[in-house]
Amino acid sequence: MGEFNELIRNFDKIRDYMRDFYIYGFKSRNDFNRKSARTYDNEKRRIESYMGEYMKWSYTKSGKNSFISMDCSKIPVNPLYSAWKSKAFTSNDIMLHFYLLDILNSHAKIAISQLTDEICEKSHQTFDIQTVRNKCSEYVSLGLLKSDKQGKSLYYSLSKESFDGLLAIAPGLAAAVSFYQGSTALGEIGNYIMDNHTIENTLFNFKHYYVAHTLEDNVLLDILSSIRNKQSIEFENYNEAGNLSSTSYGIPLRVFVSSATGRRYLCIYQPRIRRFFTYRLDHIKSVKAIGFCEDTDKYLKILDKNIDKVWGVGFGGRSRMEIVCMKLYINEQKEHYLLERIAREGHGGEVLRLSANVFLYTKEVFDTNDMSPWIKTFIGRIIQLEGSNQAVIGRFYNDINRMKEMYDIG
């Protein structure tokens, strides 16, 4: 039986548990069927340790449901960041880290062979030169060290571009980091800096704070890297229930963010069927770059040319393009604000005045279904609704008829 350890090697596992069981709070221990119940209990203990006071529970018919509960407008720092600080490490990782920085602090620069000898001498442990070189290379990539090749030997030194140095030049940087950690993607980077320099966020609260985004930030980083490098990708995508996965391919072009829900979507182009598609970021498990795509800019221009016909994030629909026509009654004298609202929210749709107080709104979109919530905000003013997607139009009238029956309206 494995011993319980609070630290983890695989972040994907803890992310899935947090999302499926605790962010949404719909599942109980009885719904867990992937592995043994002990596995669930271990993951639950880890998450309780990370989240502390934010863990809550309730009893339902299916059993005890544990979930994470917080008022996002009042928390100074996203508590889910703690999951990123739980990565396991070996004793050699710790030993090398401290001895390496301590030795470099007393040398302007030092050759890798001498550095290895001094580490072995101080630690009374044997490290081969390749192990030390790998650790140094990792720290060079993180910006902690600098490397310099002289002859056949590689020399290392501490980087002088530290955050402390920048903070001395620009004291307001601490406030900027406090704002960054809660306001944009990959905010956990700012949170790491705050932890290492004992900075507390006492300035900012965020009304729309989508804390669960941090669980998918590693996926986002891989996607953004592929977009920047114009790489095609292969990614593993889960269905809504989370019990089926599929592998998809495409050219990543944009990441859309819903202004209503904060949900993030990956927009890709699939050349084989010549269509754009969007996928929810929180349903993507992993992303892998599979090669350079020289036509990326061409597909990006096509997307930009058609973006005004995307109402939400959908490129679906039975046909490539659909038409929606909505005839509205609007009192021109008293309700001019409604015309202003249509101009502001209507995604460039055409508005024609047919007669006194009667207007026709027409819009060409990829997916009429995405428009449904917006169209329904005009119930009571809609004289007639028509469109090329008869399924959506029919559903609208069915909903109206059901409401008439429910409220006994003749």
Side-chain angles (χ1 to χ4, degrees), residues 336-349:
H336 194 268
Y337 63 90
L338 284 174
L339 295 173
E340 293 176 351
R341 184 189 155 204
I342 293 173
R344 186 174 63 250
E345 300 176 1
H347 290 222

Side-chain angles (χ1 to χ4, degrees), residues 82-141:
S82 57
W84 289 102
K85 300 165 188 170
S86 56
K87 192 175 186 305
F89 46 80
T90 66
S91 58
N92 279 350
D93 285 332
I94 296 295
M95 199 177 296
L96 276 176
H97 173 82
F98 287 104
Y99 280 120
L100 196 149
L101 295 182
D102 183 53
I103 294 168
L104 284 171
N105 197 39
S106 58
H107 295 272
K109 61 172 63 175
I110 185 170
I112 185 66
S113 55
Q114 184 184 349
L115 179 61
T116 305
D117 291 342
E118 290 198 23
I119 289 175
C120 294
E121 182 182 345
K122 284 178 175 286
S123 65
H124 304 291
Q125 301 281 334
T126 302
F127 291 97
D128 61 69
I129 197 168
Q130 187 59 41
T131 302
V132 178
R133 182 183 286 118
N134 289 342
K135 179 58 73 176
C136 288
S137 298
E138 178 189 343
Y139 283 9
V140 169
S141 68

Side-chain angles (χ1 to χ4, degrees), residues 135-260:
K135 179 58 73 176
C136 288
S137 298
E138 178 189 343
Y139 283 9
V140 169
S141 68
L142 294 174
L144 297 173
L145 305 183
K146 284 190 172 182
S147 62
D148 180 25
K149 193 166 187 178
Q150 296 182 4
K152 294 183 179 179
S153 186
L154 204 55
Y155 286 74
Y156 290 96
S157 60
L158 287 175
S159 173
K160 293 184 171 53
E161 297 171 357
S162 66
F163 185 80
D164 285 330
L166 295 174
L167 202 57
I169 300 171
L173 198 56
V177 171
S178 296
F179 181 73
Y180 162 77
Q181 61 83 27
S183 63
T184 188
L186 307 174
E188 54 271 20
I189 299 171
N191 186 245
Y192 272 114
I193 295 172
M194 292 172 67
D195 282 355
N196 289 334
H197 298 274
T198 60
I199 299 171
E200 291 188 3
N201 173 27
T202 57
L203 299 173
F204 304 104
N205 285 95
F206 303 93
K207 182 179 179 183
H208 301 291
Y209 196 178
Y210 303 108
V211 296
H213 280 178
T214 189
L215 300 179
E216 62 211 37
D217 271 353
N218 59 334
V219 170
L220 177 67
L221 181 60
D222 290 339
I223 290 170
L224 293 178
S225 298
S226 298
I227 292 175
R228 183 183 61 184
N229 297 322
K230 301 180 181 179
Q231 297 268 338
S232 298
I233 59 170
E234 169 189 305
F235 58 99
E236 188 178 1
N237 189 57
Y238 274 86
N239 63 349
E240 188 82 25
N243 53 8
L244 293 175
S245 68
S246 60
T247 302
S248 301
Y249 304 86
I251 302 162
L253 299 173
R254 295 255 192 251
V255 174
F256 295 149
V257 182
S258 168
S259 58

